Amino acid sequence: MTAKHTPGPWEWGRDMGSFWIETEKDGYSVASVNNHNITPQNEANAHLIAAAPEMLASLEAMVESYEHEASARNPTLLQARAVIAKAPGDA
């Protein structure tokens, strides 16, 4: 799969009323969580978004490692493939 998303790693930060997610390398803005309400839930959302590229890469590596195994039809593995397919926005 060729990534359509901004390459990671991403980092998160906080300012006045929002959380932001940007690339670690050049500070390119990826996303923001801003409803002018600094809450633990919004902070957790920012952490989750910032971790997305690494989670996707890990999931892709895990699925690839099982491609030639008898467990390749495992429901959890099939679900992982479906989630990976959603990541580029095609599914």
Side-chain angles (χ1 to χ4, degrees), residues 10-32:
W10 297 348
E11 64 182 286
W12 73 277
R14 176 175 61 178
D15 73 37
M16 295 298 286
S18 64
F19 294 96
W20 46 262
I21 297 86
E22 63 185 28
T23 60
E24 286 184 8
K25 181 179 177 183
D26 60 10
Y28 177 80
S29 179
V30 175
S32 64

Side-chain angles (χ1 to χ4, degrees), residues 39-71:
T39 66
Q41 184 176 26
N42 287 343
E43 183 173 351
N45 291 341
H47 281 274
L48 181 61
I49 294 166
E54 293 170 271
M55 289 190 300
L56 177 60
S58 295
L59 190 59
E60 288 171 333
M62 190 261 329
V63 167
E64 186 176 321
S65 73
Y66 285 100
E67 285 298 323
H68 304 291
E69 305 232 355
S71 63

Side-chain angles (χ1 to χ4, degrees), residues 1-12:
M1 176 185 92
T2 302
K4 293 180 184 178
H5 65 270
T6 304
W10 297 348
E11 64 182 286
W12 73 277

